[in-house]
Amino acid sequence: MPSRFALDRPETLKQLVYKRVKDLLTAGQLAVDSVHSASQLADDLGVSRTPVREALLQLSAEGFFEPLEGRGFRVRGFDKKEIEELFEVRRLIETHVVACLARSSANGALADLRAALREME
């Protein structure tokens, strides 16, 4: 059991690079189909290649980049089918979560949810 006085561990450099590159992706600052090397990104971020390479490999495993043998990593775009599937999965998960919450919610909270729904409609 962790002590209530335990220190928060700082994030690793790989975690920081991962977050920064993902932020650049989501902000549209890394264009779809653009190719980036670990060396180039390491220079841009002011860090060594190893945490950048590890972050790019993780992002590749998550589908954001495509590794190119000896050339670097290409930013992947998502086609219409992938986007539709993502929203379908979210719809299924979120609907299930709301149903579970509604079943376990106290009557007052459920009434608040119904009022909010009526207001949105």
Side-chain angles (χ1 to χ4, degrees):
M1 177 175 215
S3 166
R4 63 186 176 129
F5 302 114
L7 297 173
D8 290 333
R9 291 188 173 265
E11 293 183 283
T12 66
L13 196 50
K14 178 214 166 201
Q15 291 169 322
L16 293 171
V17 169
Y18 170 88
K19 285 181 180 178
R20 180 67 177 130
V21 173
K22 196 165 184 183
D23 287 345
L24 292 170
L25 282 168
T26 57
Q29 294 180 317
L30 299 178
V32 171
D33 290 331
S34 61
V35 177
H36 304 274
S37 71
S39 296
Q40 172 244 324
L41 280 172
D43 288 343
D44 291 345
L45 297 171
V47 297
S48 65
R49 283 189 319 238
T50 300
V52 174
R53 188 173 50 251
E54 290 173 355
L56 289 171
L57 287 170
Q58 181 178 347
L59 289 162
S60 294
E62 294 172 4
F64 294 101
F65 282 93
E66 174 187 359
L68 303 173
E69 189 68 37
R71 292 187 42 219
F73 296 81
R74 179 187 359 241
V75 177
R76 266 194 80 238
F78 296 94
D79 62 27
K80 183 179 178 185
K81 184 175 187 262
E82 288 174 307
I83 294 168
E84 288 172 348
E85 288 173 353
L86 169 70
F87 280 104
E88 178 64 14
V89 168
R90 285 195 60 177
R91 183 188 66 79
L92 291 169
I93 292 170
E94 291 171 7
T95 302
H96 175 72
V97 168
V98 169
C100 289
L101 288 172
R103 280 193 299 271
S104 67
S105 179
N107 286 338
L110 192 54
D112 291 342
L113 285 173
R114 285 189 179 121
L117 178 60
R118 279 193 300 276
E119 189 176 324
M120 286 188 282
E121 290 174 337

